[in-house]
Amino acid sequence: MAKHETPFLDQLESGPWPSFVSDMKQQAEVRAKNEAGVEFQIPQDCVDDLLGVVELSYKHGRTHWKHGGIVGVFGYGGGVIGRYCDQPSLFPGVEHFHTMRVNQPAGKYYSTEYLRSITKLWDLRGSGMTNMHGATGDIILLGTTTPQLEEVFWELTHNLGQDLGGSGSNLRTPADCLGTSRCEYSCYDTNSLVHFLTNEFQDELHRPAFPYKFKFKLDGCPNCCVASIARSDMSFIGTWKDDIKIDQDAVNKYIEQDPAYPSNAGAHKGRDWGPFDIQKEVINLCPTGCMKMVGKELKIDNANCTRCMHCINVMPRALKIGDVRGCSILCGAKAPILDGAQMGSLLVPFMEVNPDNDYEAITDLIENIWDWWMEEGKNRERLGELIMRQGFQKLLEVTGIEAVPQHVAYPRTNPYIFWREDEVPGGFERDVVEYRKHHLR
């Protein structure tokens, strides 16, 4: 029998979709029955009280969680998010109900043995509730008390070979897609790079020293399954430099409705979308209009291709990514905290991803950006906000990257643009003489 009446939460279960409320109620019942005979290390009714707190928050239209101070494990400045209830007399089971972030492996590959071990640990020393995974990417262990933090940390690091993730003003846990381990579109090994970055920047991950949070997210191709372009301060998106590979025979198989060549890789099985129309479904949807059919041949003006992946997704057996592969690097994406949401801005149009030299070009770029941000960034100012405040040109200067047309987001709206003398070949004097000669007659 539940301790608390939850009419608002009950309503959330009434729709057609699965509800987190149902999961919480199920977990509350498991803890109440204690069928496995587990001797819980935190209050047995904590999940029941959690339901009560959430219900009260819906009723009052405000949260009943408060910030009660800094909490964590010895030697780490991140990885634990303190949660304290402001109604401890009503809900003693969640008087403190901390969240622990656990660093997910590259590509989120787990063995069933590991998953059983971590859920068994959390059933004993936490609420038993997990979030697989949080928005940042970590395994989220929801709800435990302060005395259990060191116990969980010891078990994770010594027996499970697992580390905490990032929280606070530090490097957050790097996240990636499956990459070359599963995906034919991936232009570099995302799993290898995210594993390297996690190990290379352990100090930045666990000991907050930044103005605010910093996120790496890695997409193996421009399909952006991780949505790194919108969700990370530094986004690595796989791309290629040479031409899209075309199998003209396969193109015509798609056009001829060969059953072995379903468009969109057969993603719409069970629905009759009518005859495949390459003009309507591929060529007319190309954002730069760089494709056309000439007779029975598909022609692509690769110089104007923006690697949007649409044509490859529709006709995957006819079109393939190029062979000269690497990644583009973008900076400055963030959620709408201060100046509104913004997407990443292109910094490096193409970079080879080379593990043979410990990704030297990538780490040098990261450290140059961090040096500038830590020197110039205000408290709680994301990298994207610093770029907005000081200008993208300043980012190019600190990274030593030469400006190229791909860096232009939109034409300038201010006609009063002044150049430094070292930016003008021949200096100002020559330009003044030339101007007077031709314009002041």
Side-chain angles (χ1 to χ4, degrees):
M1 181 68 181
K3 284 172 55 180
H4 308 285
E5 297 294 324
T6 56
F8 286 103
L9 295 184
D10 295 345
Q11 189 175 355
L12 291 178
E13 294 182 279
S14 63
W17 305 106
S19 172
F20 73 94
V21 176
S22 302
D23 291 340
M24 290 170 64
K25 287 181 177 179
Q26 182 181 13
Q27 180 63 11
E29 288 178 11
V30 169
R31 292 185 70 87
K33 293 177 181 176
N34 195 12
E35 292 172 340
V38 176
E39 295 182 5
F40 300 120
Q41 299 299 306
I42 74 169
Q44 187 164 332
D45 58 356
C46 63
V47 181
D48 214 333
D49 277 353
L50 178 62
L51 286 163
V53 173
V54 179
E55 175 71 20
L56 192 65
S57 296
Y58 278 110
K59 181 179 179 181
H60 290 169
R62 62 183 176 85
T63 183
H64 283 286
W65 299 103
K66 63 178 183 177
H67 188 278
I70 302 299
V71 65
V73 298
F74 184 73
Y76 279 21
V80 179
I81 300 108
R83 294 280 185 261
Y84 298 89
C85 179
D86 67 2
Q87 302 290 326
S89 59
L90 292 176
F91 311 107
V94 291
E95 181 176 354
H96 38 145
F97 200 68
H98 310 311
T99 290
M100 300 187 78
R101 288 181 176 168
V102 179
N103 194 326
Q104 83 283 354
K108 300 187 177 76
Y109 283 112
Y110 303 104
S111 68
T112 53
E113 179 186 4
Y114 170 79
L115 291 175
R116 288 191 182 98
S117 297
I118 200 167
T119 52
K120 183 179 179 181
L121 168 64
W122 201 241
D123 280 337
L124 174 66
R125 300 196 176 276
S127 68
M129 294 196 304
T130 63
N131 184 348
M132 304 286 283
H133 298 79
T136 296
D138 305 279
I139 305 168
I140 305 297
L141 303 181
L142 290 161
T144 193
T145 57
T146 304
Q148 295 303 316
L149 295 175
E150 289 290 350
E151 302 289 346
V152 174
F153 180 60
W154 175 273
E155 185 71 21
L156 283 171
T157 54
H158 288 74
N159 294 333
L160 297 182
Q162 192 69 46
D163 201 358
L164 293 187
S167 68
S169 295
N170 61 1
L171 174 65
R172 298 301 179 83
T173 315
D176 64 334
C177 67
L178 296 174
T180 51
S181 66
R182 289 292 301 275
C183 181
E184 64 181 303
Y185 299 152
S186 187
C187 298
Y188 69 101
D189 189 343
T190 57
N191 300 162
S192 175
L193 181 54
V194 84
H195 183 73
F196 171 83
L197 293 173
T198 302
N199 285 290
E200 178 72 9
F201 297 116
Q202 277 290 293
D203 200 56
E204 288 77 11
L205 187 62
H206 292 308
R207 295 167 184 85
F210 290 162
Y212 202 19
K213 66 182 80 169
F214 195 97
K215 297 179 180 180
F216 294 135
K217 294 195 187 297
L218 289 73
D219 280 302
C221 78
N223 274 327
C224 266
C225 294
V226 179
S228 65
I229 192 172
R231 302 172 56 231
S232 61
D233 301 86
M234 200 161 182
S235 164
F236 300 81
I237 302 177
T239 189
W240 63 93
K241 281 179 72 173
D242 55 338
D243 297 347
I244 294 176
K245 293 184 283 190
I246 307 175
D247 181 339
Q248 299 291 353
D249 181 60
V251 170
N252 284 283
K253 295 282 190 184
Y254 280 105
I255 295 172
E256 294 162 5
Q257 301 289 292
D258 188 316
Y261 290 75
S263 61
N264 295 293
H268 301 306
K269 285 180 180 176
R271 292 193 64 178
D272 183 8
W273 293 87
F276 174 67
D277 186 338
I278 191 171
Q279 187 69 38
K280 178 178 157 185
E281 298 180 43
V282 178
I283 296 172
N284 291 352
L285 295 178
C286 176
T288 60
C290 72
M291 310 178 73
K292 63 181 179 180
M293 287 295 294
V294 179
K296 288 199 167 187
E297 284 197 3
L298 177 65
K299 300 289 187 181
I300 300 177
D301 177 10
N302 282 276
N304 284 308
C305 174
T306 57
R307 315 295 194 268
C308 77
M309 293 291 291
H310 174 70
C311 61
I312 296 175
N313 291 334
V314 175
M315 302 190 297
R317 297 183 64 179
L319 302 173
K320 304 285 185 183
I321 62 176
D323 291 323
V324 185
R325 302 170 186 175
C327 74
S328 298
I329 299 177
L330 298 87
C331 290
K334 68 178 189 68
I337 302 299
L338 295 181
D339 295 320
Q342 61 190 64
M343 303 279 270
S345 298
L346 182 67
L347 178 62
V348 181
F350 183 85
M351 177 181 285
E352 290 185 359
V353 182
N354 187 5
D356 295 335
N357 63 357
D358 290 333
Y359 304 101
E360 184 177 359
I362 290 174
T363 53
D364 287 348
L365 179 68
I366 292 168
E367 288 169 357
N368 286 336
I369 292 172
W370 281 351
D371 287 345
W372 172 55
W373 181 47
M374 287 193 283
E375 182 71 25
E376 299 290 340
K378 297 178 181 179
N379 185 39
R380 296 181 72 82
E381 183 176 53
R382 295 286 288 271
L383 175 64
E385 289 153 354
L386 175 60
I387 294 171
M388 288 179 66
R389 183 164 61 85
Q390 292 201 355
F392 194 82
Q393 185 174 347
K394 185 66 178 177
L395 177 64
L396 294 177
E397 290 175 12
V398 300
T399 55
I401 294 173
E402 193 170 320
V404 294
Q406 289 94 328
H407 289 139
V408 179
Y410 50 83
R412 75 176 188 228
T413 55
N414 181 353
Y416 301 100
I417 305 295
F418 300 95
W419 305 91
R420 294 198 307 266
E421 186 168 359
D422 60 358
E423 293 178 323
V424 181
F428 286 119
E429 292 182 5
R430 185 206 66 185
D431 287 354
V432 169
V433 170
E434 290 296 314
Y435 181 84
R436 287 174 174 167
K437 183 189 299 182
H438 296 289
H439 298 284
L440 303 180
R441 296 175 185 266

